[in-house]
Amino acid sequence: MQLGLVELLRAAWIAGTLPILIASLPCSWLGSFHGLVLGFARRGKIMKSSSHHKFTVPQRFFSHFYVVAVVWTTLLLLATWIYANRVATIVSEPFFYFDLGSYFAGSANIFSFHRSQLISSENKFRVWLSVFLLLLMEVQVLRRLFETLYVFKYSPSARMHIFGYLTGLFFYTAMPLTLCCTCAPNVFKFGTSEVMEFIVKGRSSIQAIEFDWWDIVNPFLNLGWFQWIGAAIFLWGWIHQYRCHAILGSLREHVGKVDEYVIPRW
């Protein structure tokens, strides 16, 4: 199942990016293909006001991308984080021996003990890396949703091609899943088993959740320095993109006021 998911996502990304790469080749005989791809990507002012509106949707539907992205990313983030805390817990050596002694003394749950020991250190790192990447994705899509609702001022007449709309929905569905694809099948199995256990045992199967800031921060401190450098670059780009979008949004508002002053609205 894991290989199937990874291969499916890989094939989907290749199918999505290959036409763009082909259309970018500087070949004259690809002119018509380039125009076709560019036509699918047209929106707003770069879209011709032709009779093809039956293949378009309002540009304000951009908000759909980020609503889907926030809901889907949050779901994956919570599920993966719970799985990481329950199955990929990073424990110190004294606690390990304590759990081992408790196991032989019969005071620990046998299934929980085996479940916590079956995952290797390398897999634990991958699980927590997925949580880290999903956190960054969550920060990104939350900001983009905010911008779409409160920063950008879409013209009522602005349109975008429906193929571009479907491409955006695909991107914001596949991207979060790609960030955790190596552990997503296990997370799904874990979540399914937890739901089944809850159905059978009821509320007694729910473990008490205790928040300890050190337990939350400690797994991320085990990530490599290049992951943190990548996160720093991401945050710099995140701030810069927000500033650029704020400028663009203010220009749109300014243009609207000028239009109302120069061109009477009858």
Side-chain angles (χ1 to χ4, degrees), residues 52-87:
H52 297 328
H53 278 191
K54 61 181 179 179
F55 299 111
T56 65
V57 294
Q59 193 175 356
R60 66 177 181 273
F61 280 13
F62 253 79
S63 60
H64 296 181
F65 301 160
Y66 308 116
V67 171
V68 170
V70 168
V71 173
W72 182 230
T73 304
T74 302
L75 178 63
L76 290 176
L77 174 60
L78 291 177
T80 307
W81 206 331
I82 293 174
Y83 171 79
N85 276 291
R86 295 280 296 278
V87 180

Side-chain angles (χ1 to χ4, degrees), residues 200-247:
V200 174
K201 297 183 179 180
R203 293 184 178 181
S204 61
S205 64
I206 301 177
Q207 297 184 4
I209 300 176
E210 298 181 359
F211 290 97
D212 188 336
W213 286 109
W214 176 248
D215 290 339
I216 295 175
V217 174
N218 183 44
F220 299 111
L221 298 179
N222 291 273
L223 298 177
W225 58 269
F226 40 91
Q227 275 90 22
W228 284 105
I229 291 178
I233 296 174
F234 163 81
L235 290 176
W236 176 84
W238 188 90
I239 295 172
H240 184 66
Q241 188 184 44
Y242 174 74
R243 290 176 177 174
C244 292
H245 287 173
I247 294 173

